[in-house]
Structures are given as structure tokens and as C-alpha cells.
Amino acid sequence: MDNGGHKDHYTIGEVVERLKPEFPTLSVSKIRYLERRRLINLNRTRGGYRLFTEQDVELLRYILKLQEEEYLPLKVIKKRIEGGAPLSSLSKDSAGDLSKVLEERTYTAEELADSLNVEVRFVEELVSVGVIGRGGELTQRDKEIARLALEMARYSIQPRHLRGIMAAVDREAALFKQVLNPDLRSGDEKRVQEAMEKARHLAAVDSRMKELMMAGVIESFDPRSS
């Protein structure tokens, strides 16, 4: 039955289609995984098909936002849901406060894998090739790197293939450090701070330059351009 444009129940396929514009990586298997972890509890038809109410859809949207925007692991999200956290808690102010709390968050390999819905082996492979965990612990930055690595893995680019990319990053960073070393080793706090700001600026310029270079190379892939 349709009430003012909303149905009483949705199938899992309809929910994926509805939320896909907001969460492009959402899949049926991911929703099933969240159900297995008991973050959502769904009614089923006699035939065993999952049925979502409008409230179930909003709860799922809330979970996905906490995962993808605030990088919270599932066990933390589950505690918030069980504690009665309102769906409106993702307001701009509360999200900002939460981001501040999470800036220093660290993960175990298991927690990071859990937050990305991947096997812990994937995280361990990224650590073994030196892509993440180089500081001795897994941070929010490492999680974002792992998330991007997971996206590349969808195209059969595995963690071991990222070793070359990491080596290139190390070479470029060594060049920047060589240029800035006089200031970095000066012992003058102001000069060191300015050198770090220059390093970040160089990194941003380098990233943009590589983006444009890569775009030019990728254009050559198109057989229609020859």
C-alpha cells in the first residue's frame, strides 16, 4: 500500500536502488552483512524475503552515514543504536564534534577490517606492503587509504600492486625533505613550522600535477582517439 508516495514495505533490491545515489558502493550483500551483525532487524515474508519499513530504510541510511562520513566501526555504531541515538544526531554540529573526537582514533587490524566490511587479511596485506600502519599503529588516515585500496581492489588491483605506488610516494617525499632539510634541521620552531607548511603545499601541488598527467595518459587509452 502506498501512503503519500511512500510504500509500507520495500524489498532489499528497492532499498539498494533508493540509496545507491547517496552510497554508490552499497550492495545487497552489504545489507545482508549488516543484518548478520544485528545492526538492522528485518521482517520477512513467509517465503523468507526481507521487507524494509520506512524506518528501516532511515536506520540503514544512518548506519551508512556513520560508516562512510564519520568512519565509525560497526560495534560503535551498534552501541549508539542500542543506546537510542536519534537519527537526527548526524546534525552538522554533532558531526563536527564527533570528527574532533575521532581525529586521534586508532584501530587494531580487526577493528579497521570490521569498519570496512572486509576480511582482516586485506588490512594485513596493506600493512605488509607498507601502504598503511607505517607509524606503528592504524589511524584514521590509514583507514581512508584502506578504503581507497578496497575500491581499487574492485578492479583487481590488489594490495601487492600498491607497493610501487608507495615507493614512488617515498621517492617524492625524500625529494621534498631534501629541499626543506635546512629549515627542518635548524632547531628554530618557526622555521620548522614554515617548512612543514611548505611540504604540505608541495604535496598538494604534486598531487594535482599527477592528477592532470594521469588524465592525459588515460585519454590515450581510448582507441577512438587514434
Side-chain angles (χ1 to χ4, degrees):
M1 180 178 178
D2 193 311
N3 295 316
H6 292 289
K7 300 198 303 181
D8 289 334
H9 294 94
Y10 301 87
T11 66
I12 193 168
E14 289 173 331
V15 171
V16 170
E17 183 178 358
R18 177 173 169 179
L19 297 181
K20 198 87 169 176
E22 294 176 67
F23 309 100
T25 62
L26 182 63
S27 64
V28 169
S29 61
K30 183 167 185 176
I31 295 177
R32 288 173 178 163
Y33 178 81
L34 293 174
E35 186 184 21
R36 287 199 303 273
R37 296 299 302 272
R38 298 184 180 180
L39 275 89
I40 52 177
N41 296 299
L42 303 174
N43 293 320
R44 292 177 182 256
T45 67
R46 290 183 179 178
Y49 293 101
R50 295 170 178 81
L51 291 177
F52 288 74
T53 64
E54 190 66 35
Q55 185 175 4
D56 291 329
V57 175
E58 288 307 309
L59 177 59
L60 179 59
R61 178 183 278 113
Y62 172 72
I63 292 168
L64 295 171
K65 278 182 175 292
L66 288 179
Q67 268 195 302
E68 299 191 11
E69 295 180 9
E70 304 300 339
Y71 309 115
L72 287 179
L74 293 182
K75 65 181 181 180
V76 174
I77 296 174
K78 187 175 181 182
K79 285 181 180 178
R80 291 188 64 169
I81 294 171
E82 291 172 347
L87 300 187
S88 60
S89 66
L90 272 178
S91 65
K92 190 170 286 187
D93 291 340
S94 63
D97 292 340
L98 184 57
S99 295
K100 292 176 184 176
V101 172
L102 292 173
E103 281 178 1
E104 302 302 321
R105 177 186 165 85
T106 59
Y107 299 83
T108 64
E110 290 77 11
E111 287 172 338
L112 201 154
D114 180 62
S115 69
L116 293 174
N117 299 337
V118 297
E119 298 290 335
V120 68
R121 181 176 60 186
F122 181 80
V123 174
E124 291 171 344
E125 287 180 26
L126 290 173
V127 172
S128 69
V129 298
V131 173
I132 62 174
R134 291 160 66 95
E137 57 187 10
L138 297 170
T139 65
Q140 285 294 112
R141 181 185 292 115
D142 288 321
K143 178 174 177 179
E144 180 62 13
I145 293 171
R147 186 186 69 77
L148 295 171
L150 180 60
E151 183 65 22
M152 297 187 82
R154 300 185 199 283
Y155 295 88
S156 300
I157 299 175
Q158 300 303 322
R160 65 181 183 276
H161 299 134
L162 303 180
R163 186 181 280 110
I165 296 176
M166 194 69 242
V169 169
D170 285 338
R171 286 195 300 271
E172 291 169 21
L175 173 61
F176 299 161
K177 187 175 182 181
Q178 181 181 355
V179 171
L180 298 170
N181 242 347
D183 290 329
L184 291 171
R185 301 177 65 178
S186 67
D188 183 306
E189 185 175 344
K190 183 178 180 181
R191 287 180 64 186
V192 171
Q193 182 178 344
E194 289 176 349
M196 290 301 296
E197 291 173 358
K198 289 175 184 177
R200 295 185 183 98
H201 177 68
L202 280 169
V205 172
D206 176 72
S207 178
R208 178 57 176 160
M209 183 169 63
K210 285 207 293 289
E211 180 184 354
L212 294 171
M213 289 176 172
M214 183 66 78
V217 172
I218 287 176
E219 286 298 319
S220 70
F221 292 0
D222 192 339
R224 298 170 300 179
S225 63
S226 58

